[in-house]
Amino acid sequence: MDRQKIQIFDTTLRDGEQVPGCKLNTKEKVDVAKRLEALGVDVIEAGFPISSPGDFESVAAIAAVVKEATVCGLSRAVEKDIITAADSLTGAKRPRIHTGIGTSESHIKYKLQTTPEKIVERAVAAVKLAKSFVEDVEFYAEDAGRTDNAFLAYVCEQAVKAGATVLNIPDTTGYCLPEEYGAKIKYLKENVKGVHNVALSTHCHNDLGMATANSIAGVVNGATQIECTINGIGERAGNTALEEVVMVLRQHPDLLKYTGVDTKQLNDLSRYVSDTMRVPVQPNKAIVGANAFAHSSGIHQDGVIKKRETYEIIDPKDVGVDHSSIVLTARSGRAALAYRMKNIGHELTRDELDVFYAGFLKVADEKKEVKDEDLHQLVESTVKVAV
Ligand code: KIV
Ligand code: ZN
């Protein structure tokens, strides 16, 4: 069976930029967009043009330079939002307007204080207006994760009839379980007339730590686009992490899906985004965390030194990391010490290693991590004692 390409829709510059305190200027946003294009993402959500003159300017500047990827601007189902998004995208080679409205009971009753009928009317009017400016219109049903499936299918069907080319099914509050989210996508695939002519998109938030699992459940059940951000940054607990979904699909060829992302650029881009947006990456973050390829317990180190695959399912080079690291701590064993000693030019015999290991443990108990310079010092002091 042929593998299916999954479109990667990056929203680092829109949903990602909603992280408090990480506002970028236009030049920084253009730089990030160029790197995302080089990474091979299919769609770049460049911003929310009505939100501020600066955001409008950034979307227009990105639209002018990005040539391969689709450039997308967000809007609410509000006339002035859609017209402003269209204006900001006039220079884009492949423009997309992303428009939509809340569809869950709580959004309809409390946030929008309206009725389900009015929601459908506004959704249809928004898609039609967007369609009068651009061919490619993505409709989002905000809080789809908590929306009744039958009503969601109805709204989506009307959006398709009005001209939507992509249906975005956001789990806005990160509430869904993977099976539940997957079943929602399957239900829409089976119950929305015209769905086979449009793309279904996942957009999962990470409030319960399930954004990646939910996005994968979505594509397993028929979604063909994943919305995500570099390092998973975004509103509250963040969005689906781009590097995670891309690597899940790569490491599981059994799913028969692939993306156009050049995975070797993931580590560099993660650092670049973290530095530019001033949002640190947690050390244990999957794929791009500082410890993602670091081994510190003796048992693991021994296994990795004998054969890397014992404790690593990803070759670090595949995501742009030079090599796995063996971190020396008081939990490390002789194998790790001998390995690191050899790397710094000291091949030890079994007896020498026994003597040296005792000294090493003393240093390791004093320090969190024993570095190469500590080993060099230990060599000097051991030689002096021997003389
Ligand atoms: O989480 C969400 O529902 C969104 C939409 C605006 C697409 O970000
Ligand atoms: Zn979102």
Side-chain angles (χ1 to χ4, degrees):
M1 224 173 114
D2 282 349
R3 290 190 311 149
Q4 179 185 38
K5 181 167 181 203
I6 298 300
Q7 303 280 307
I8 294 296
F9 175 118
D10 181 277
T11 183
T12 304
L13 295 172
R14 199 279 296 170
D15 221 331
E17 218 229 4
Q18 289 173 212
V19 172
C22 76
K23 196 105 197 80
L24 299 183
N25 62 35
T26 296
K27 189 193 164 305
E28 289 167 330
K29 286 191 187 175
V30 169
D31 283 347
V32 172
K34 283 186 184 160
R35 284 168 194 252
L36 288 169
E37 187 175 39
L39 182 73
V41 308
D42 303 282
V43 185
I44 297 171
E45 186 160 55
F48 183 14
I50 191 83
S51 65
S52 72
D55 223 37
F56 180 95
E57 183 193 301
S58 302
V59 176
I62 290 168
V65 297
V66 167
K67 293 292 168 238
E68 292 303 318
T70 293
V71 179
C72 178
L74 183 77
S75 67
R76 294 164 298 182
V78 171
E79 198 177 294
K80 65 177 187 323
D81 280 36
I82 298 167
I83 295 171
T84 308
D87 283 350
S88 71
L89 291 168
T90 48
K93 187 161 175 225
R94 300 172 208 274
R96 177 183 293 180
I97 295 179
H98 190 188
T99 189
I101 194 159
T103 53
S104 65
E105 198 186 334
S106 117
H107 276 233
I108 298 174
K109 245 196 206 163
Y110 304 110
K111 186 177 109 171
L112 301 160
Q113 299 179 346
T114 184
T115 62
E117 293 72 25
K118 287 264 177 301
I119 291 292
V120 178
E121 266 173 35
R122 283 183 62 183
V124 167
V127 172
K128 282 191 176 157
L129 180 60
K131 196 78 179 179
S132 70
F133 296 109
V134 293
E135 172 48 36
D136 193 4
V137 176
E138 174 165 338
F139 171 73
Y140 66 84
E142 195 179 1
D143 204 15
R146 292 187 299 170
T147 300
D148 166 70
N149 282 351
F151 180 63
L152 183 60
Y154 182 67
V155 182
C156 285
E157 193 167 302
Q158 299 313 308
V160 172
K161 266 199 207 148
T165 44
V166 183
L167 293 173
N168 178 15
I169 312 303
D171 182 20
T172 306
T173 56
Y175 172 75
C176 286
L177 294 168
E179 278 128 82
E180 189 183 0
Y181 189 75
K184 195 173 275 290
I185 298 292
K186 187 163 185 275
Y187 180 89
L188 296 174
K189 270 273 196 242
E190 290 168 355
N191 291 281
V192 174
K193 248 188 244 131
V195 75
H196 298 290
N197 303 320
V198 302
L200 270 176
S201 182
T202 67
H203 179 113
C204 299
H205 280 267
N206 205 31
D207 300 66
L208 291 171
M210 292 191 290
T212 295
N214 284 346
S215 304
I216 298 298
V219 297
V220 165
N221 283 281
T224 54
Q225 175 177 283
I226 298 178
E227 305 196 1
C228 45
T229 61
I230 298 290
N231 300 333
I233 60 168
E235 192 80 33
R236 306 184 309 281
N239 287 61
T240 301
L242 180 149
E243 60 279 4
E244 293 178 13
V245 285
V246 164
M247 290 311 289
V248 171
L249 298 183
R250 187 184 159 116
Q251 297 307 115
H252 280 274
D254 48 307
L255 295 178
L256 297 175
K257 319 274 181 202
Y258 69 100
T259 71
V261 167
D262 173 11
T263 62
K264 290 197 164 59
Q265 297 183 37
L266 287 174
N267 193 51
D268 272 359
L269 191 49
S270 159
R271 276 158 202 259
Y272 182 79
V273 166
S274 167
D275 292 347
T276 328
M277 290 190 147
R278 292 165 284 279
V279 182
V281 175
Q282 71 194 63
N284 58 322
K285 167 81 184 60
I287 320 295
V288 292
N291 294 346
F293 299 99
H295 305 273
S296 71
S297 89
I299 296 171
H300 288 212
Q301 291 175 333
D302 183 45
V304 168
I305 290 166
K306 286 176 178 145
K307 190 162 173 65
R308 189 187 58 73
E309 289 83 348
T310 318
Y311 285 101
E312 273 182 4
I313 58 156
I314 297 169
D315 184 339
K317 291 195 177 60
D318 287 347
V319 296
V321 175
D322 288 346
H323 50 74
S324 330
S325 48
I326 297 291
V327 183
L328 291 182
T329 69
R331 306 287 150 263
S332 301
R334 285 173 172 72
L337 180 60
Y339 173 84
R340 279 280 293 276
M341 289 299 285
K342 191 172 166 196
N343 279 0
I344 63 166
H346 299 280
E347 206 148 350
L348 303 178
T349 64
R350 196 175 265 260
D351 290 344
E352 284 168 339
L353 184 60
D354 280 343
V355 175
F356 202 75
Y357 186 65
F360 159 77
L361 281 182
K362 279 194 195 133
V363 178
D365 270 337
E366 280 162 24
K367 300 194 163 209
K368 281 194 184 137
E369 189 186 331
V370 180
K371 307 267 191 194
D372 286 350
E373 53 270 25
D374 301 314
L375 294 178
H376 284 301
Q377 268 180 17
L378 196 59
V379 171
E380 271 179 34
S381 54
T382 311
V383 171
K384 269 189 204 137
V385 171
V387 170

